[in-house]
């Protein structure tokens, strides 16, 4: 049972346009969500996060939206740049009292390609 | 540079063999996590150690084991290797005991190829 799902394996957008990456989760105990970016031959690096008490968090060109009722979050990149081309992983974690405590559960990733 | 060091970067071995992957966390981080990424798949959580003690276990095979030493570095031991164990193994560290509200810092991974 995959608790964090990224249903789009890949996404291609034009430079300057908006990139929207989506993520769905099933476990209502998840209370913290993170996005990581991964370039080839490197480990994932933290991009942005959001707590379940918020519905939006913004950091420069990156904004994460959380819809708890739909168990859905999305990452918006505006404007997209060729350097944003990478694999983006959505991750979720829960506090103590849940079997997911003590770990981050990752989706399978979405490969974003930004064309010049 | 995340500050997390993994060695070796590449490992090629044969079926039935045993290997050890090493991870040095960021200075000051007490938590170490191991993840496995197989081809075209996401990051599968294996195990979490905090300050030398096992804190959480994922879908880690019985042929796999790990430990965290007093100097906080960690080793992941994989034995009786099978072709399906070929994957990228990541180590990550964080400051605290649980992943909630904390971002993970990942090493660049060890690419294991079992032939």
């Amino acid at each position: 049972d995959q608790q964090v799902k990224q249903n789009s394996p890949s996404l291609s957008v034009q430079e300057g346009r908006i990139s929207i990456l989506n993520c769905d989760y099933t476990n209502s105990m998840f209370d913290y969500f993170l996005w990581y970016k991964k370039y080839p031959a490197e480990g994932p690096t933290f991009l942005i996060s959001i707590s379940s008490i918020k519905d939006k968090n913004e950091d420069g060109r990156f904004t994460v939206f959380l819809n708890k009722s739909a168990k859905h979050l999305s990452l918006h990149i505006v404007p997209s740049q060729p350097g944003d081309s990478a694999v983006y992983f959505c991750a979720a974690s829960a506090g103590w009292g849940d079997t997911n405590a003590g770990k981050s559960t990752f989706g399978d990733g979405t490969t974003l390609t930004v064309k010049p | 540079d995340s500050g997390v060091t993994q060695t070796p970067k590449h490992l090629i071995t044969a079926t039935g063999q045993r290997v050890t992957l090493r991870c040095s966390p960021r200075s000051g981080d007490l938590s170490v996590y191991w993840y496995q990424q197989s081809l075209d798949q996401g990051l599968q959580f294996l195990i979490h150690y905090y300050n030398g003690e096992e804190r959480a276990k994922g879908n880690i095979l019985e042929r796999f084991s790990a430990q965290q030493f007093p100097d906080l570095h960690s080793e992941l031991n994989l034995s009786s290797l099978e072709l399906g164990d070929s994957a990228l193994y990541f180590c990550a560290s964080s400051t605290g005991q649980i992943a909630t509200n904390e971002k993970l810092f990942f090493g660049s991974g060890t690419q294991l190829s079992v032939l």
Side-chain angles (χ1 to χ4, degrees), chain A residues 7 10 31 55 60:
Chain A
N7 291 317
S10 62
D31 58 7
D55 56 16

Side-chain angles (χ1 to χ4, degrees), chain A residues 102-116:
Chain A
K103 67 178 183 181
S104 282
T105 301
F106 284 78
D108 287 346
T110 296
T111 300
L112 173 66
T113 303
V114 181
K115 298 179 179 178

Side-chain angles (χ1 to χ4, degrees), chain A residues 32 36 43 94 96 102-104 108, chain B residues 33 35 42 48 98 100-101 104 107:
Chain A
Y32 198 69
Y36 291 84
W96 292 124
K103 67 178 183 181
S104 282
D108 287 346
Chain B
Y33 303 80
Y35 283 85
H48 168 212
I98 59 175
T100 297
N101 297 341
L104 301 181

Side-chain angles (χ1 to χ4, degrees), chain A residues 5-41:
Chain A
K5 293 183 181 180
Q6 295 177 254
N7 291 317
S8 298
S10 62
L11 175 67
S12 181
V13 300
Q14 207 66 35
E15 180 179 7
R17 306 295 291 270
I18 184 171
S19 295
I20 300 177
L21 295 91
N22 294 303
C23 178
D24 297 296
Y25 62 97
T26 57
N27 190 336
S28 58
M29 295 295 288
F30 286 143
D31 58 7
Y32 198 69
F33 304 89
L34 310 95
W35 285 92
Y36 291 84
K37 180 166 73 171
K38 183 184 180 304
Y39 292 118

Side-chain angles (χ1 to χ4, degrees), chain B residues 15-80:
Chain B
T15 54
Q17 295 298 305
R18 171 189 166 96
V19 297
T20 298
L21 282 55
R22 182 187 169 102
C23 170
S24 294
R26 284 190 326 156
S27 176
D29 283 357
L30 300 178
S31 273
V32 170
Y33 303 80
W34 287 96
Y35 283 85
Q36 178 193 55
Q37 184 181 21
S38 300
L39 194 62
D40 294 333
Q41 290 190 7
L43 296 160
Q44 302 297 318
F45 171 73
L46 295 179
I47 199 163
H48 168 212
Y49 279 86
Y50 174 77
N51 203 21
E53 292 188 9
E54 182 184 305
R55 278 288 183 245
K57 225 170 185 177
N59 296 324
I60 186 168
L61 300 171
E62 286 192 9
R63 300 183 286 107
F64 295 3
S65 65
Q67 55 183 326
Q68 186 180 27
F69 295 86
D71 66 353
L72 301 176
H73 91 272
S74 177
E75 292 181 356
L76 179 66
N77 300 296
L78 316 176
S79 62
S80 302

